[in-house]
Amino acid sequence: MAAKSALPLLKYLRVQVQALPQNARPSHFSLSPNVFLRLFSEEVRGSFLDKSEVTDRVISVVKNFQKVDPSKVNPNAHFQNDLGLDSLDAVEIVMALEEEFGFEIPDNEADKINSINLAVDFIASHPQAK
């Protein structure tokens, strides 16, 4: 069963390949110790969903929240300071994000998500986000 649950993650595995000279014939198959390292830029490392797609979807969810003025929504917006929401509204937005991305955000993490950027960072780096 563990192998089945790992299958969706396999599409994110990157293997570095080096060509052998034409006359070289390996006597056996061997893996370099680095074959299992994911070599990404700092911005992409640890991301499972495309960050720009996540940003667009998070902004859409926040703009559709009835207490938010859509003209004030931007990637740097803070829920309480910039959008004028209270803590209950922030909880409702996190719940809407859970529904949008198809996974549950633990309460201890949800309490930390108080801006669009924090929501994007958390969701883009979460392996269960869809």
Side-chain angles (χ1 to χ4, degrees):
M1 286 306 229
K4 256 188 177 179
S5 65
L7 287 178
L9 297 176
L10 289 179
K11 67 181 178 181
Y12 300 103
L13 182 66
R14 302 289 191 255
V15 178
Q16 190 173 22
V17 178
Q18 294 178 340
L20 293 173
Q22 286 182 343
N23 59 355
R25 294 183 148 249
S27 59
H28 64 280
F29 180 76
S30 65
L31 293 176
S32 152
N34 294 331
V35 74
F36 297 107
L37 292 178
R38 294 173 59 175
L39 303 174
F40 294 123
S41 68
E42 277 301 313
E43 183 176 315
V44 176
R45 188 174 293 134
S47 293
F48 291 93
L49 292 178
D50 179 61
K51 215 168 185 178
S52 63
E53 178 191 339
V54 172
T55 301
D56 292 343
R57 289 171 64 188
V58 168
I59 287 175
S60 176
V61 167
V62 173
K63 280 185 176 181
N64 289 326
F65 191 70
Q66 67 189 97
K67 295 182 181 179
V68 170
D69 177 0
S71 66
K72 293 183 178 180
V73 177
N74 66 67
N76 297 316
H78 187 275
F79 295 153
Q80 292 174 333
N81 297 343
D82 300 324
L83 302 178
L85 302 176
D86 61 25
S87 58
L88 182 58
D89 296 329
V91 169
E92 289 180 23
I93 286 180
V94 170
M95 289 171 54
L97 292 172
E98 289 176 330
E99 188 174 319
E100 171 69 22
F101 290 95
F103 76 104
E104 187 174 333
I105 299 172
D107 290 342
N108 63 332
E109 295 297 330
D111 293 341
K112 298 174 191 173
I113 298 174
N114 58 16
S115 70
I116 290 177
N117 278 334
L118 288 174
V120 169
D121 289 344
F122 181 79
I123 293 167
S125 65
H126 199 284
Q128 294 177 336
K130 298 173 183 156

